Amino acid sequence: MEFAELREAIEQIEVVDSHAHNIVPLDSSFPFINSLSEATGDALSFAPHSLSFKRSLRDIAELYGTESSLDAVEQFRRSSGLEAISSKCFKAAGISAIFIDDGLKLDKKHDIRWHKNFVPFVGRILRIERLAEEILDGEMPDGSNWTLGAFTETFLKSLSSVANEIVGLKSIAAYRSGLEINPYVTKEDAEIGLSEVLQSGKPIFMTNKSFIDYIFTLSLEVALQFDLPMQIHTGFGDKDLDLRLSNPLHLRTLLEDKRFSGCRIVLLHASYPFSQEASYLASVYAQVYLDFGLAIPKLSVHGMISSVKELLEVAPLKKVMFSTDAYATPETYYIGAKRAREVVFSVLRDACIDRDLSISEAIEASNDIFAQNAIQLYKINIGRELFYSKASESPSYMIGTNVPEHGASLVRIVWVDTSGQHRCRVVPKKRFDDVVKKNGVGLTFACMAMSSSIDGPADETNLNATGEIRLMPDLLTMRKIPWKKQEEMVLADMHLRPGEPWEYCPREALRRVSKVLKDEFNLEMNAGFENEFYLLKKIIRKEMEECWVPIDSKPYCSSSGFDAVSTLFQEIIAALDSLNVVVEQLHAEAGKGQFEIALAHTACTYAADSLIFAREAVRAVANKQGLLATFVPKYALDDIGSGSHVHVSLWQNGRNVFTASNTSSQYGMSKVGEEFMAGVLAHLPSILAFTAPLPNSYDRIQPNTWSGAYQCWGNENREAPVRTACPPAVPNGFVSNFEIKSFDGCANPHLGLAAIVAAGIDGLRNHLPLPEPINENPATLDQKLLRLPTSLSESIQALENNNVLREMIGEKLFTAIKGVRKAEIQYYSKNKDAYKQLIHRY
């Protein structure tokens, strides 16, 4: 069998080095010999007698045309200079991109920018433990001692501030406390861990397992938000590492945690000597990827080939990546790339001989391993042509420094006001990076006093044109806009001044009540929204009048109705996926031109953010197609209404505790689940002022429309406003969540969820009992059930008498909400047809 074609293909690939480290100048205290071995101290004297050392030294000597000795190579290095030998090594290596973990301490190391002199693309990998240590080595602004809360805030802000300027994160937990990471570490244990770390003195060197696990979990949350891969050191390293704790099988608890199933994990260094274990993990966990740097070139030839073969035993070829793990010297880049080409050729050649692969499949695999897998995983924006041209002939580019033609030029800073309208300020990307990230943008106090009818402050809100806040971008929510390739968007918090939240901020209100739920009951509320909306098309009537009408008249769950718009929904789902919004299902609804998209449940603060992104995506993609998507509760008074039903559950240490723990429960719920839901049900008339904020909302909440018109609850009863749900995976007799149907698309999701959390807390505090369930249509019962408010006026009246929500939401925000709602009542009572214009606002 002829393999010249395969060899040539591998030699021609301009490779992506997805894990390496900084180079140091020649006058650094770092000895050249250390770059050829993991040994240190007395063990280093034996390093020259290892197979990999002898082979690597010979490879370097051949490149330089010197004798194969340390003295000869080092003399050549000194006489040539670092720039010359770097240029020679990188050109010979054929490297087109490198991702540098700059967290490795090296004397006088060059910064990342320096490396772009030799390769076209340079990206940064941020080492999370190093970032944490740098923070703790610093001082609190007020001179006090670090607390877990202060550290968490600083760590997340620091990480988020650079998230758009890096290509991934990295953890060296294996070196510090091992890979048996507990993603459910409690704040109490983390607080104790932080105390122990601080007591050890400065410079900080973290070894406390609970604190490291806490940092790792925080970082995964950021990785999810910014869609960043997380590299993890696995397998062998220097003697600081306990090899027994670096087996990647220890990561199973983390990999099984559904919260982080969307976070891509890269197991570094072939996990040697646990390469087979790593291969198995990559085969059974969608989020696990493999990297074989360090194993190549630090093992013998037999060891390198065996290790890569073990990785490929069961792991998909699309999940295995090249890197050099180069550090300190340019020679390590060269020998890593040179030997990787030889090893991969040998492995793929044998696979062809064994008939595992054809020649064409092996060529494709080599391109994937050396370039395409990393390009796709790390989502680097770089032209394809770059990987087929020599590095020395390619333009310099470094992530975060040069903006390519396809880079973002504008940033939308988005907020949702009291009336539920999405608004934004737009700034050039450079100003955003230079100024707005730190200082925000100014906005009038009146922004939280505007109604759906008038862009001016409503009476009785205590807000007017005097005063200004700062819209502070929450960098955890920074997203590239899929439908506007040169723009990004970010959700904003409202601060009086940077670092001081404004009492009227909806996102802060939800955080505040969620903290009470966590602090008092160690509970977190998860939420998932079902978004109903109409798709309308524009027609011109005979009188040349423009009007919007439904795109079709197909029935509920119509296959032909969905088929007609499937292309549109494919684009919507792709956009949501790129925004990290998880969709569970979608279908045609019962109204003419009405559809529904159901989002996955997540922590309530994230769920509210995801709902905002979902609304933005649906409206924007529809607009691209010349359609108008509207979430108005009752777009047409003679058709079905649209809701934004929300499913709610309670979680504790990563476990759903809304569900009963045994079959003795009367309703399939836990005690805390019953009390929480009882609180929501008791306060539901007042909650409607948050979740059904317009007079039009009450045209939707009518009997016999599955919108929940009576104050009751039922088990799988879609006529009840509060419905306990038993999805297919839940055992019979148990419930996993409850649905609140009286939540619509005009509601500010943060305010609506804040009201629900506040009501649930009241149920828990006072151990409120649940009434008997209503498992029939409440409109047909002989017994009289309390009707929920039939108008916004009635819900406002209930709210005015509700001191629980007043206290939990905060007096100032509470007053503003009432003032805006009263303005809505006044305007729409005088302008009966004005609701028809709401399609342009919601």
Side-chain angles (χ1 to χ4, degrees), residues 9-64:
I10 291 175
E11 291 300 322
Q12 289 298 316
I13 297 171
E14 292 290 320
V15 299
V16 176
D17 185 352
S18 56
H19 180 259
H21 304 278
N22 307 66
I23 290 173
V24 301
L26 296 183
D27 62 352
S28 169
S29 62
F30 183 89
F32 174 71
I33 188 175
N34 282 62
S35 67
L36 302 180
S37 172
E38 289 294 292
T40 57
D42 294 341
L44 189 60
S45 62
F46 294 94
H49 305 288
S50 67
L51 298 180
S52 65
F53 189 101
K54 290 177 178 294
R55 183 193 66 243
S56 295
L57 183 62
R58 187 169 58 252
D59 286 343
I60 297 168
E62 288 176 359
L63 176 68
Y64 290 163

Side-chain angles (χ1 to χ4, degrees), residues 126-138 151 155 204 206 211 215:
L126 189 147
R127 187 181 294 199
I128 59 174
E129 290 85 3
R130 187 71 204 110
L131 173 62
E133 289 170 343
E134 288 173 350
I135 290 171
L136 294 177
D137 276 330
F151 167 79
F155 181 79
I204 296 295
M206 303 184 308
F211 189 59
I215 290 170

Side-chain angles (χ1 to χ4, degrees), residues 692-700 791-792 821 824-825 828-829:
L694 298 178
N696 183 261
S697 301
Y698 299 82
D699 293 324
R700 168 182 168 264
S791 67
L792 182 55
R821 301 295 182 263
E824 308 280 20
I825 294 167
Y828 291 103
S829 66

